[in-house]
Amino acid sequence: MRLSEIKEEFNRVLADLYDRGEIDSLIRYLLEDLLGIKNSLITEIEDAKGERLLSILPDLAKGKPPQHIIGKADFYGLKFIVNEDVLIPRPETEELVHEIIKNHNNQTISILDIGTGSGCIPVSLKKNLGMASVSTMDISEKALKVAKENAELNRVDISFYQDDALDLKPENYPFFDVIVSNPPYVTEQEKQEMHRNVLDYEPHLALFVSNEMPLVFYDKISDFALKRLKRNGFLYFEINQYLAYETEELLAGKGFKVLLIKDLNNNFRILKAQLLG
């Protein structure tokens, strides 16, 4: 089957959801991760594989993420199991992970990730910071199941807690050198800007906060960090770019030394805070 015919059908069916560049990228992704075809220069594929590609078009047209169809997503050079119980890892979160690895390479440190979802943050950190001890938590039992599977898949040793990020008891945790979180930060009023495949297929518990209390997770987690970060320890957040200065002000008001960091799209997406001794 000619690949040009498959692309034509993809463009016809998915025109309302993706532009042509996105569809080309989607087909390359499916060829490699679904069918194991890595040669981007091919012009034809076996009929059975072509039919397999075309068979998933109805699901894609409904907005189902291709990562859910395949069952895995790429993140920081690793593979992660994903399903409807966890967020699909984002490139912005890769930048958060990279910032931590850059700042703490070859250090014997303890790290806590709060709100793990798929486990992409703690697994990637442990994989790249071999001397670190890494713990993580989530309120969702289903998310923790996926995160544990991803720790096994990527052969890393991580400690897991089931807990509520909005009601963490410091006495239940040891002290840490680094605390990191990518908490829910999308306000309800921002829903209208989001793609259907996010709204319909990803867990709202991990995405949205109220318009009235958009920084509630940053408030509660930073209070916890005040009691469980070691002297001169670091707190890292992925943040809502539209609330960057408000988040900076919140943490500065608690006594943290705060730095806002821009992502590759020139948006403030990472906050680095230090608890000075």
Side-chain angles (χ1 to χ4, degrees), residues 196-242:
R196 197 174 85 204
N197 60 7
V198 175
L199 290 175
D200 292 349
Y201 291 94
E202 299 201 56
H204 287 203
L205 179 68
L207 282 170
F208 297 109
V209 288
S210 70
N211 296 330
E212 295 74 28
M213 299 180 66
L215 300 180
V216 60
F217 282 91
Y218 300 94
D219 185 31
K220 297 294 186 181
I221 292 171
S222 57
D223 281 345
F224 171 81
L226 286 172
K227 296 180 179 178
R228 275 300 173 265
L229 268 182
K230 295 180 183 178
R231 183 178 178 181
N232 296 319
F234 288 91
L235 173 61
Y236 294 88
F237 281 123
E238 183 173 324
I239 62 174
N240 185 328
Q241 67 191 67
Y242 303 115

Side-chain angles (χ1 to χ4, degrees), residues 184-195:
Y185 60 69
V186 181
T187 60
E188 291 288 336
Q189 65 189 18
E190 292 177 78
K191 274 187 178 182
Q192 60 187 7
E193 302 174 19
M194 301 191 74
H195 204 287

Side-chain angles (χ1 to χ4, degrees), residues 52-106:
R52 176 75 179 102
L53 276 184
L54 294 173
S55 72
I56 66 176
L57 265 176
D59 279 338
L60 290 172
K62 294 175 185 174
K64 187 170 185 177
Q67 294 91 340
H68 282 182
I69 293 171
I70 293 172
K72 289 185 181 178
D74 297 316
F75 183 86
Y76 213 76
L78 303 171
K79 295 288 185 184
F80 287 85
I81 297 163
V82 293
N83 58 26
E84 66 280 357
D85 298 318
V86 299
L87 292 181
I88 296 168
R90 281 6 186 232
E92 296 87 353
T93 310
E94 287 186 311
E95 295 187 54
L96 172 67
V97 166
H98 184 71
E99 184 70 22
I100 297 171
I101 292 170
K102 178 184 70 175
N103 293 337
H104 301 283
N105 194 28
N106 295 321

Side-chain angles (χ1 to χ4, degrees), residues 85-86 137-145 162-163 205:
D85 298 318
V86 299
M137 58 75 57
D138 204 288
I139 193 172
S140 167
E141 185 176 348
K142 291 180 178 179
L144 283 172
K145 180 177 182 293
Q162 185 173 7
D163 209 343
L205 179 68

Side-chain angles (χ1 to χ4, degrees), residues 6 18 22-23 61 66 70 101 133 142 161 169 179 214 225:
I6 294 173
Y18 303 102
E22 290 173 323
I23 291 172
I70 293 172
I101 292 170
S133 62
K142 291 180 178 179
Y161 298 86
K169 303 294 191 294
I179 294 175

